Amino acid sequence: MKNMFGMINYIASVTDKKMILEKILKTSQYILDCEDITLFEPIQNDPNKTLKISQLTCENIAGKTYSAEKEIAGFVFCTGELLNVKEPFKTSRYPFTNELKKNPNIRSILCAPIFQYGKKVVAIIQAVNKRAKNAFSKYDEYLIQYLSESSGINLTQAALFNQISM
């Protein structure tokens, strides 16, 4: 909990979006105790609702894009709902990309939207594989929801600060 408050205090003083996203990533991975964290951002003014991987802690696939219809993060982007998927390959409810299908080691996925101005989804945070257990718990859902809400507030503050500065 101390690390989460430290992250929020640090981010509140930062106005650079990239630095904010990097700090969210590192802190989230530590707090959620997961193998990987990915941040997806929607491509602005794209009618196809394409998502771009903006930051991640594992493989170097930043910049790769996915259709929101073919990715769990896209489901979260379109619905604005938090999603906790245990044993993702045993369910057909959610869409999967070929990239995800190539990794049979995925045991669980926890994904949450980051809202700016309280209603516009500006990013999606996705945690993969809880280290200590096979799945993310209800407590992890509360943690990622808190992280995403505080991240949204800080991204909004940074956007407002940059508007005023220009």
Side-chain angles (χ1 to χ4, degrees):
M1 206 54 121
K2 182 180 176 184
N3 286 332
M4 190 171 355
F5 292 125
M7 176 203 74
I8 292 164
N9 286 335
Y10 169 79
I11 292 174
S13 66
V14 176
T15 57
D16 179 60
K17 182 179 176 182
K18 185 175 181 182
M19 287 178 64
I20 291 171
L21 294 176
E22 286 175 8
K23 191 65 173 178
I24 291 168
L25 210 70
K26 289 177 184 175
T27 304
S28 299
Q29 186 175 24
Y30 176 78
I31 289 171
L32 292 168
D33 189 30
C34 61
E35 291 177 9
D36 189 26
I37 292 275
T38 304
L39 279 168
F40 295 85
E41 290 184 273
I43 294 177
Q44 299 300 317
N45 304 319
D46 180 5
N48 298 323
K49 295 184 177 180
T50 305
L51 298 175
K52 171 185 74 165
I53 295 177
S54 63
Q55 307 263 338
L56 65 164
T57 56
C58 218
E59 297 176 54
N60 188 15
I61 55 172
K64 193 165 191 145
T65 59
Y66 295 99
S67 167
E69 298 170 353
K70 297 182 179 177
E71 181 66 45
I72 286 181
F75 181 87
V76 170
F77 171 67
C78 292
T79 63
E81 298 174 13
L82 180 133
L83 190 61
N84 188 354
V85 183
K86 298 164 178 66
E87 300 178 328
F89 293 107
K90 292 185 179 179
T91 181
S92 61
R93 180 172 175 211
Y94 308 107
F96 293 100
T97 62
N98 289 331
E99 291 292 325
L100 193 55
K101 288 179 183 176
K102 288 178 188 174
N103 189 349
N105 298 324
I106 295 177
R107 299 180 311 276
S108 57
I109 299 172
L110 182 61
C111 196
I114 296 175
F115 292 99
Q116 192 171 16
Y117 303 112
K119 53 187 167 185
K120 179 183 175 191
V121 177
V122 294
I124 298 93
I125 185 168
Q126 178 176 282
V128 175
N129 289 347
K130 181 80 173 171
R131 284 193 180 120
K133 301 177 183 174
N134 284 335
F136 291 99
S137 67
K138 192 72 170 167
Y139 181 71
D140 293 320
E141 289 180 23
Y142 294 132
L143 287 174
I144 200 169
Q145 192 168 20
Y146 183 78
L147 287 164
S148 68
E149 288 172 3
S150 59
S151 300
I153 291 167
N154 290 312
L155 288 169
T156 300
Q157 288 176 327
L160 291 171
F161 179 81
N162 289 327
Q163 283 177 352
I164 292 169
S165 303
M166 294 184 158

